[in-house]
Amino acid sequence: MSLLGSAFVFLLAAVVAVPIFRKLKLGAILGYLVAGVVIGPSVMDWINDAETILHVAELGVVFLLFIIGLELDPKQLWNMRKKIMLTGGSQLIFSSLFIGLMSFWILSLSPATALIVGVSVALSSTAFAVQLMEEHKVLKTPPGKQGFSILLMQDVAVIPILLLVESLSTGEVAVGPAWWVSVLALCIVLVVGRFLINPFLSLISHYGNAEVMTASALLIVIATGLGMQEAGLSMGMGAFVAGILLANSSFKHQLEMEVGPFKGLFLGLFFIAIGMNLNLDLLVSEPLFILGASLVLVIVKGLIIYTILRLAKQNVTDSVRIGLMLSQGGEFAFVVMSQAVGAGVIETLISQQVTLIVGISMALTSPLVILHSIWFNSRNCPAVYDSEPNEKEPQVLIAGLGRFGQVSARILTANKIPFIALDKDPDQIEFLKKFGSKVFYGDASRLDLLRTAGISKVKIILIAIDNDQEALKIAYLVREHFPDIKIIARARNRTSVMNYARIGVNTYVREVFPAGLDAAELLLKAYGFDLEKAKRTVDVFAKHDSKLVEISAIKNLNLQQMIDINEKGKSELQSLFERDEKGIER
């Protein structure tokens, strides 16, 4: 089949399978796997070069590790170190040991093979489990945080596990570069990531365009990955390290947004390729072993996680729920198995058995969680938690940190109120960072960037940019996709106010109007008005003008109607001043 024909089959399989499986709450990953099984050699045999496709699709894992690195803020990791090491570390150690020992004693695997199998299936699916926790509103709860720390430890452990596989490689694999080459490559990545990538991205943002920024993001990931691979390490490790180094970068959200679609595309292709490589003949020839091993995997991991959470003083229901959500094998088991076969550590048959068992364990997880929820709710018990918000997460987003937005940012900072700030002027970002401000590069008028920056978690957005068209676009996007967020907008003039009103934004600040009123008050006092009269005169004008603007906005007047109402307003204002002069109560 031609390349274009293969692409058509892949896209068709994904478009059909993923929505169905998500509708059934079985997850997109399982949808990709089943789609791969259907179009692969085991069923329809529409595409039979699964091995080559798998190698290309491994780029999805590289991109995934880069994004995981971006999300692992070193400061956050340090603050969560106890949870990660105790909860996550104990799960990984006990699951690996138990499963590895079972493989060694019961299945008579060699020690090296049993070890690789143990650490592979001890890893849960981060994408799968986080999706389940979000759907069941437990991700931000105490037990959900414990579960997330387990996933975090597993993500961090992926790189050492891949290095372990390489170290166990047999003599059949070509000898790699000397150890000092690997160390030197790692040091180069650390230095480049720390000192050169941010200036490089700043330069691109100045003189490039959106397409060049996307190309730059892909270049960073692929270049670090290839560099590590040439130095004898894994591509994934290079991308992961680069991601961690950029976790505190001003370009973090922009990079995540640019790489995200490619990660999703290649990761979906990766899972489809895994599905194509699943040997269903093993399920037919050894149904009791495969199904039994899948069930044992879910039970063993679920019980270990349950026990750890109980020791962490979580209640029974929470512990069972999180244990079930993390009980499956994960996507990195496929990566480890693929690398282990290539390194000659395990046999192809064992790799096929493990990947099939992991795939079935994924299929078991969602139904078990659903059954548990039905059983739990059938006992007339309320939900465990109602998605408790994390108070440390920013509740405010500021779009634009020029002179206007900086005032609010400084007041929030002085009151220790966290916020997210976006600006697309790299010079402004670098200037503000010198004063301790945390601003991210990005165009806030792009919905995908707003989502990446975390707008779904905020309650208020201040639109402080000085471009009317972009500001109105941001307001429209927020009102359309996040109607519960309160919008406070910077309005340059009356036209801006009316444009905001048409889309339902009624909380705004007229940019120069307050300063103009202050200037008018000073002018009147200099002219000879006493303090009280000057203030009252300015106050009368301000209220009258605001009323006219509100009427114009509500009635959606055209230019001529605005002129007419403005002329009428002049007469009314003169009348108000005359009445005020005569002391008549207004």
Side-chain angles (χ1 to χ4, degrees), residues 308-511:
I308 292 170
L309 293 180
R310 290 290 290 144
L311 291 174
K313 299 181 180 179
Q314 301 297 336
N315 64 46
V316 174
T317 302
D318 290 340
S319 301
V320 171
R321 178 175 291 188
I322 300 299
L324 287 174
M325 290 179 178
L326 273 65
S327 63
Q328 78 290 134
E331 55 268 17
F332 286 114
F334 305 139
V335 180
V336 175
M337 285 296 105
S338 175
Q339 183 166 331
V341 171
V345 179
I346 65 174
E347 299 175 3
T348 303
L349 176 62
I350 296 174
S351 171
Q352 291 176 345
Q353 289 173 332
V354 171
T355 53
L356 188 56
I357 289 167
V358 169
I360 294 174
S361 73
M362 287 182 171
L364 290 173
T365 304
S366 291
L368 287 174
V369 172
I370 293 170
L371 288 174
H372 173 262
S373 298
I374 293 172
W375 174 80
F376 181 72
N377 293 330
S378 67
R379 301 180 68 195
N380 297 318
C381 295
V384 183
Y385 289 94
D386 187 18
S387 190
E388 297 178 358
N390 185 347
E391 294 179 358
K392 294 183 179 180
E393 289 184 348
Q395 304 289 303
V396 179
L397 189 149
I398 301 177
L401 266 193
R403 288 176 296 175
F404 188 92
Q406 283 179 37
V407 176
S408 295
R410 289 169 62 188
I411 293 173
L412 291 176
T413 302
N415 286 275
K416 298 181 180 180
I417 300 174
F419 61 89
I420 304 166
L422 294 173
D423 198 287
K424 61 179 182 178
D425 184 347
D427 290 335
Q428 181 76 353
I429 291 172
E430 289 303 314
F431 173 74
L432 292 170
K433 284 174 67 176
K434 294 177 182 178
F435 295 92
S437 299
K438 194 169 185 179
V439 192
F440 294 103
Y441 174 84
D443 183 357
S445 64
R446 292 181 59 175
L447 179 60
D448 49 1
L449 181 62
L450 289 174
R451 291 186 189 277
T452 303
I455 192 173
S456 60
K457 298 174 184 177
V458 307
K459 295 180 179 179
I460 308 165
I461 179 172
L462 170 63
I463 303 175
I465 62 175
D466 59 0
N467 184 302
D468 276 350
Q469 291 183 339
E470 289 185 10
L472 188 64
K473 183 178 179 182
I474 295 170
Y476 177 80
L477 288 173
V478 175
R479 178 62 64 230
E480 178 75 14
H481 297 278
F482 310 97
D484 294 332
I485 294 179
K486 183 177 180 61
I487 300 174
I488 300 172
R490 171 187 183 178
R492 292 175 62 86
N493 48 44
R494 294 187 176 205
T495 303
S496 301
V497 171
M498 287 184 282
N499 287 333
Y500 282 128
R502 290 188 184 105
I503 61 173
V505 177
N506 299 312
T507 306
Y508 50 82
V509 178
R510 295 172 65 184
E511 183 177 321

